[in-house]
Amino acid sequence: QFFIEVVRVLKSAFRLAGQLPPVKVDTPAAARAGIQCFNGIGGYLTLIQALKRAREAPIKAIDIETSCLRPYAANARILTCAISYGDVNFSFAIDHPKSGWAENQRALLLIHLKAILTDNTTKVAHNAPFEIEWFAKYFTEDVVNHDAWECTQMQAHMLDERRNGQGLDDLAKQHFGIAYKSTFKLDI
């Protein structure tokens, strides 16, 4: 009886799988084309508007690139921040050495970023404790609303407890067919 039920469920799953839309795998060029990058040389008002719209999104992904692993080292810096919601993806320089923001522009960017961090909308990050620790040190400890964060790395470990393969690039390759992080030049 058990095996008959397993066969029935599998047949149903295969029937439903046949009704799914075709899989779309991004090419590296398409992945790069879908992201707006702001480095401080033009696009300031567009970035401010993007940050305002990101704050309104109920769920957004946030990723930072930093100068070192922990934020307590001398001269530790958040180099860039990337935010995605819906089909909108953008990144911007914060403390990157090649950033072209004027001090008043950078200050306003940080005000908008802080507003995103402190609201009650859902923030998603792969290894969220990393982002939370950096933002808490960068702004102040009370800036981060811990209850509003979701961690995809912890979720990946819950779904697959094996030791390897839960890195962001590994999971992107496994589920979306492209290693996104290696698609972009991240060196400073």
Side-chain angles (χ1 to χ4, degrees):
Q1 188 65 18
F2 172 77
F3 293 111
I4 293 171
E5 183 62 18
V6 168
V7 168
R8 187 191 68 75
V9 169
L10 285 174
K11 284 181 179 179
S12 176
F14 283 118
R15 187 181 71 257
L16 292 172
Q19 299 171 10
L20 293 173
V23 174
K24 178 185 176 283
V25 177
D26 287 339
T27 64
R32 283 189 295 275
I35 299 175
Q36 286 186 284
C37 299
F38 300 94
N39 62 6
I41 302 168
Y44 178 71
L45 294 177
T46 303
L47 174 56
I48 293 297
Q49 290 306 312
L51 288 165
K52 287 179 179 179
R53 286 190 302 275
R55 184 164 184 216
E56 296 169 3
I59 301 172
K60 71 236 356 142
I62 299 179
D63 183 39
I64 57 175
E65 300 302 327
T66 61
S67 61
C68 53
L69 187 58
R70 304 294 299 276
Y72 309 104
N75 204 24
R77 299 168 292 155
I78 297 177
L79 302 173
T80 61
C81 181
I83 299 176
S84 297
Y85 61 92
D87 62 353
V88 175
N89 309 286
F90 63 96
S91 66
F92 55 98
I94 297 178
D95 291 328
H96 195 284
K98 295 181 181 174
S99 172
W101 303 123
E103 274 305 312
N104 62 327
Q105 291 175 320
R106 184 179 166 281
L108 188 56
L109 293 177
L110 294 177
I111 288 170
H112 285 284
L113 179 57
K114 184 176 180 179
I116 290 170
L117 297 173
T118 56
D119 68 21
N120 288 323
T121 61
T122 301
K123 272 70 75 176
V124 179
H126 197 73
N127 192 10
F130 178 83
E131 269 77 5
I132 292 169
E133 180 181 32
W134 271 89
F135 287 134
K137 176 71 171 138
Y138 197 83
F139 293 104
T140 59
E141 289 181 13
D142 61 341
V143 73
V144 179
N145 178 352
H146 294 275
D147 293 334
W149 284 82
E150 296 290 336
C151 180
T152 56
Q153 188 173 48
M154 289 182 192
Q155 293 168 356
H157 281 289
M158 296 297 282
L159 295 172
D160 182 352
E161 61 192 34
R162 291 176 290 177
R163 285 196 173 277
N164 297 316
Q166 282 86 12
L168 184 57
D169 228 22
D170 298 323
L171 292 169
K173 180 78 172 167
Q174 178 182 348
H175 295 287
F176 302 110
I178 184 171
Y180 282 95
K181 277 213 164 201
S182 62
T183 300
F184 298 93
K185 181 181 177 195
L186 299 174
D187 295 333
I188 58 171

